[in-house]
Amino acid sequence: MSTSTLVACDLDRTLIYSKNALWLTGADKDAPSLIVAEVYDGAPLSYMTRAAEELLFSVKSAATFVPVTTRTQAQYERVQLPGPVPEFAVTSNGGVLLHNGVPDAAWHTELSAKMAAACAPLESIEAHLSNPEFAPWILRLRRAEDLFVYAIIDRESMPDSFVAELHQVCADAGWSVSIQGRKLYCVPLPINKTDTLAEVARRTGSDTVIAAGDSLLDQGMLQSADLAFRPLHGELHDAGYLASHLRLTSVRGVLAGEEILRSILAELA
């Protein structure tokens, strides 16, 4: 493999980890050296291991590296990954394609047309989630780039019947649902990481795609890749997602991020 290979990596709980997602189970004295990958409100928020930092430098030198995240552009810009800033980045679950840090207007226009033709408006999903009956578990409701909505939830208070009903409401509206930790996402089907990553591969002339991710919103991206990785945690792990071209890490948490990069680098070599 060479620089014609595109390496697409999800960020949260794939490459970078909050303190609650580190899953360091050994003695403190044996913990890996960590670096801060994100600062929010003046305090460290996300981390990766120092070994992962060095591995990512090498991956960026050997292939076209593309961060692919459900974060908004502003949330993505808080993340400080080692090495040069990638030429392309996919944010907002594929709703925004960044080229040298600037949103691609043509991609936005194409997505807007697809959503207008096939999806219920954002306001209808927002209205459904704003039902006062859901207030015990829908703690805060937010828009992302006026493209999709997400909620901060009390997962223990959220009944299974609500989740089942929401899946049906969204399916009927041309939307999808994903629950990741304390966040619930409702996203129009045309907004997805898979199609946007395919556009990046086309523009870069990449003939091979390696992808890594942990959530249901990453599944299409992993399925369409030539080689894929997922950690032993997250929605895909809970769902038991497997495929012939998919490799699982041997550990979970921040060390899984390091293992994914090491495995990708071995493939590139």
Side-chain angles (χ1 to χ4, degrees):
M1 295 183 184
S2 66
T3 52
S4 63
T5 298
L6 187 157
V7 174
C9 284
D10 173 52
L11 293 180
D12 295 278
R13 298 196 178 200
T14 299
L15 279 191
I16 65 174
Y17 292 78
S18 69
K19 66 178 183 180
N20 293 328
L22 293 175
W23 283 305
L24 295 173
T25 57
D28 290 343
K29 67 180 180 63
D30 298 323
S33 177
L34 299 175
I35 65 163
V36 176
E38 178 186 14
V39 171
Y40 181 59
D41 282 345
L45 184 62
S46 299
Y47 306 84
M48 62 195 309
T49 69
R50 188 165 300 282
E53 175 188 40
E54 296 171 357
L55 289 164
L56 185 51
F57 269 116
S58 299
V59 168
K60 285 185 172 184
S61 298
T64 300
F65 175 76
V66 181
V68 183
T69 179
T70 305
R71 287 171 173 246
T72 64
Q73 181 181 348
Q75 292 167 339
Y76 162 71
E77 289 172 346
R78 293 200 308 254
V79 178
Q80 300 181 37
L81 296 175
V85 176
E87 179 183 3
F88 289 99
V90 176
T91 71
S92 308
N93 199 59
V96 176
L97 173 57
L98 296 177
H99 184 222
N100 294 322
V102 179
D104 188 274
W107 187 248
H108 176 76
T109 299
E110 183 176 334
L111 282 182
S112 296
K114 289 180 178 179
M115 288 188 292
C119 305
L122 179 151
E123 290 79 8
S124 66
I125 303 300
E126 201 171 46
H128 178 77
L129 292 172
S130 298
N131 187 328
E133 294 180 11
F134 305 155
W137 56 88
I138 301 290
L139 306 182
R140 292 192 297 279
L141 190 60
R142 297 284 186 268
R143 286 190 183 191
E145 314 275 15
D146 285 330
L147 292 170
F148 62 89
V149 294
Y150 67 95
I152 308 300
I153 57 173
D154 181 343
R155 198 159 180 174
E156 292 185 359
S157 300
M158 187 169 66
D160 292 340
S161 58
F162 163 80
V163 177
E165 180 191 17
L166 181 62
H167 273 281
Q168 188 59 57
V169 167
C170 285
D172 293 342
W175 288 57
S176 65
V177 178
S178 178
I179 302 172
Q180 302 178 41
R182 295 182 61 245
K183 288 185 178 179
L184 180 152
Y185 294 91
C186 295
V187 184
L189 291 176
I191 296 179
N192 61 78
K193 297 179 177 182
T194 311
D195 293 344
T196 312
L197 185 61
E199 175 66 11
V200 176
R202 185 189 68 79
R203 295 190 189 189
T204 57
S206 302
D207 53 25
T208 302
V209 175
I210 300 176
D214 72 299
S215 80
L216 289 174
L217 293 172
D218 297 318
Q219 184 170 339
M221 176 177 75
L222 300 188
Q223 285 177 333
S224 63
D226 297 285
L227 178 63
F229 294 87
R230 73 161 174 82
L232 290 184
H233 60 253
E235 285 184 314
L236 291 178
H237 181 66
D238 293 343
Y241 170 62
L242 298 171
S244 60
H245 70 299
L246 177 71
R247 299 183 185 175
L248 279 58
T249 62
S250 61
V251 294
R252 65 177 185 168
V254 70
L255 290 174
E258 178 182 317
E259 183 178 338
I260 286 170
L261 288 172
R262 184 173 288 108
S263 298
I264 289 173
L265 189 59
E267 290 294 328
L268 295 173

